[in-house]
Amino acid sequence: MFKFLAIVAIIPVLALANPTPFRTCPNGAATPTTFSVGDCTALPCTIVRGEPLSAAGLGITSPVSTSTVEAYIEVTLAGLDLEFPIPEDLKDACANGITSCPLVAGQSFDYHYLNDDMNLPLGGITVQIRVGLRDGATEIACIEFDGAIV
């Protein structure tokens, strides 16, 4: 537990020091004011299979009030879904990553993602990665970026 708290305390500092470029999602969902993936400052970000990956989205404004927030990740290559499910223990964003739940419409919040072991099936490819938060069918936040999996 202490390890998680220490990492959560450090991630915002790293995120402000090393912002990662990102694209807005075509669905028009909210985006963070600052986003970071590890120490990536230029696309594509390098993602190493089997190593920890941290990301942070700071300053996201919720479009809805909700106490249920699901995190998701979609990985595509040339338009094909590579079936990368987010680990079950990280899906509940209120329990793992959001700094203040329940969310209130218009409220600003931060989201921190930490995966201790990026168990990715493929390497040596560059993919499009979409990371988002939703409440059922309602998109709360979403960003896209390119990642080189090594």
Side-chain angles (χ1 to χ4, degrees), residues 86-93 95-96 114-116:
I86 192 167
E88 283 297 320
D89 61 329
L90 298 177
K91 279 187 181 181
D92 182 350
N96 295 295
L114 175 62
N115 187 332
D116 287 328

Side-chain angles (χ1 to χ4, degrees), residues 64-127:
V64 297
S65 294
T66 183
S67 59
T68 306
V69 182
E70 176 189 3
Y72 68 90
I73 298 175
E74 297 171 352
V75 179
T76 59
L77 175 64
L80 299 171
D81 184 3
L82 296 183
E83 300 291 327
F84 177 76
I86 192 167
E88 283 297 320
D89 61 329
L90 298 177
K91 279 187 181 181
D92 182 350
C94 282
N96 295 295
I98 292 180
T99 53
S100 58
C101 267
L103 299 179
V104 175
Q107 168 191 2
S108 181
F109 68 95
D110 299 335
Y111 174 68
H112 303 278
Y113 177 83
L114 175 62
N115 187 332
D116 287 328
D117 179 19
M118 289 300 294
N119 187 13
L120 301 170
L122 301 171
I125 59 173
T126 298
V127 296

Side-chain angles (χ1 to χ4, degrees), residues 7-150:
I7 290 170
V8 168
I10 292 171
I11 288 175
V13 173
L14 296 175
L16 293 173
N18 298 312
T20 300
F22 66 90
R23 297 180 297 277
T24 59
C25 292
N27 61 16
T31 60
T33 55
T34 303
F35 173 71
S36 68
V37 175
D39 60 358
C40 175
T41 58
L43 299 180
C45 294
T46 300
I47 299 171
V48 181
R49 297 183 309 164
E51 289 191 8
L53 178 72
S54 65
L58 307 179
I60 303 166
T61 301
S62 179
V64 297
S65 294
T66 183
S67 59
T68 306
V69 182
E70 176 189 3
Y72 68 90
I73 298 175
E74 297 171 352
V75 179
T76 59
L77 175 64
L80 299 171
D81 184 3
L82 296 183
E83 300 291 327
F84 177 76
I86 192 167
E88 283 297 320
D89 61 329
L90 298 177
K91 279 187 181 181
D92 182 350
C94 282
N96 295 295
I98 292 180
T99 53
S100 58
C101 267
L103 299 179
V104 175
Q107 168 191 2
S108 181
F109 68 95
D110 299 335
Y111 174 68
H112 303 278
Y113 177 83
L114 175 62
N115 187 332
D116 287 328
D117 179 19
M118 289 300 294
N119 187 13
L120 301 170
L122 301 171
I125 59 173
T126 298
V127 296
Q128 178 180 321
I129 302 169
R130 181 178 291 176
V131 179
L133 301 170
R134 61 184 165 217
D135 175 15
T138 303
E139 289 287 329
I140 296 172
C142 181
I143 60 96
E144 295 179 349
F145 66 98
D146 299 323
I149 300 172
V150 297

